[in-house]
Amino acid sequence: MPASISTHILNNFQVNGAVPITNQQLQDFRDTMLSEIRNCVVGSNFNPVENRPQHEIDGAEKRYQAYYWGGRFHYVPEGFRLKTMSIKNIWDMWYVGDSSKELPPYRMIDPALDFTSSAQKTLYSKAKRVVHLIEEKGRLHTDADRSVKLHTLTQTRISEIFSRGLNALISEIESARSDLLSSEVTCRRYGEIAFTTLYNNLKFLASSSN
């Protein structure tokens, strides 16, 4: 048990006997305990980046807000909803997150615990499939070490893997069905296509290999 929590308990109760305590005091004690636990969870589950080389800090895990709801801690606030967004945006959110909104990388989300609707869980599954395929293709077309986790690489390296991986995946899809995305990408860059659009067209890769 963290020292701060045990100290708080000892300061509020007499070990050798009972003391009168009001409901308000009990509520205050509970709130303080939860606050202490949150601080301990945040401090122990996320790796600080102080005193580390800059090239490691670029791709390192950082501290993120912990949210308490539904009887447990979560990486996202209650009611959080995953939205349909561009391929580039979902890639960035997956590996980097959004510090301005205190949102961690989406890869840290547990869909079974952090989403309450089946539709959100399904959307998350689609995003995961797209991102992982792009990473897989990107690693094949670069000399990136497969044993190294992508989020620990520099931002420049991550962007290179994304660019090469997405281009390779799009090329495979277009080869499988020439009219698939051609009309959509003439006026938009590949990365601006919604990740759900790309996901919906992955089925043609499977059919072309049969």
Side-chain angles (χ1 to χ4, degrees):
M1 177 180 292
S4 58
I5 296 179
S6 61
T7 299
H8 186 75
I9 292 175
L10 292 176
N11 287 341
N12 282 269
F13 291 92
Q14 292 184 357
V15 177
N16 295 322
V19 296
I21 185 169
T22 67
N23 288 336
Q24 184 58 53
Q25 289 175 316
L26 199 58
Q27 180 64 40
D28 292 342
F29 175 71
R30 174 183 176 278
D31 293 342
T32 302
M33 286 282 288
L34 286 176
S35 178
E36 293 286 358
I37 292 172
R38 289 191 188 98
N39 291 335
C40 290
V41 169
V42 173
S44 62
N45 282 3
F46 302 103
N47 297 323
V49 298
E50 294 82 5
N51 302 320
R52 296 179 61 183
Q54 184 60 46
H55 74 278
E56 293 185 11
I57 294 177
D58 288 340
E61 295 284 10
K62 299 177 179 60
R63 293 179 183 271
Y64 299 101
Q65 176 70 40
Y67 300 90
Y68 187 83
W69 54 271
R72 65 174 65 241
F73 288 96
H74 301 261
Y75 282 112
V76 293
E78 186 174 10
F80 169 80
R81 292 184 60 81
L82 175 63
K83 299 179 180 178
T84 298
M85 60 187 73
S86 71
I87 300 171
K88 182 61 169 64
N89 284 346
I90 193 62
W91 173 272
D92 290 341
M93 291 301 299
W94 195 267
Y95 289 112
V96 181
D98 187 345
S99 59
S100 67
K101 297 180 180 179
E102 296 187 327
L103 291 176
Y106 282 2
R107 58 187 165 76
M108 300 172 73
I109 291 175
D110 185 337
L113 299 176
D114 297 331
F115 295 124
T116 56
S117 74
S118 58
Q120 283 287 288
K121 295 176 183 178
T122 298
L123 189 61
Y124 183 86
S125 177
K126 292 180 179 180
K128 180 177 181 179
R129 173 65 172 159
V130 167
V131 170
H132 283 188
L133 264 181
I134 293 174
E135 179 184 348
E136 177 186 325
K137 302 297 181 182
R139 287 183 181 271
L140 285 175
H141 290 79
T142 63
D143 58 355
D145 188 344
R146 288 175 174 268
S147 65
V148 177
K149 294 182 178 180
L150 188 141
H151 65 270
T152 64
L153 302 176
T154 63
Q155 189 58 50
T156 299
R157 193 62 161 154
I158 293 175
S159 295
E160 179 188 9
I161 292 175
F162 169 77
S163 179
R164 296 196 179 189
L166 179 58
N167 286 337
L169 187 57
I170 291 290
S171 295
E172 290 182 22
I173 294 175
E174 289 185 326
S175 295
R177 186 181 177 189
S178 59
D179 64 333
L180 185 60
L181 295 172
S182 58
S183 62
E184 298 180 48
V185 299
T186 53
C187 60
R188 292 187 295 173
R189 300 174 63 181
Y190 288 148
E192 296 175 350
I193 299 172
F195 76 83
T196 48
T197 298
L198 184 59
Y199 176 87
N200 290 337
N201 290 309
L202 293 179
K203 59 186 178 183
F204 295 104
L205 289 180
S207 61
S208 66
S209 61
N210 294 333

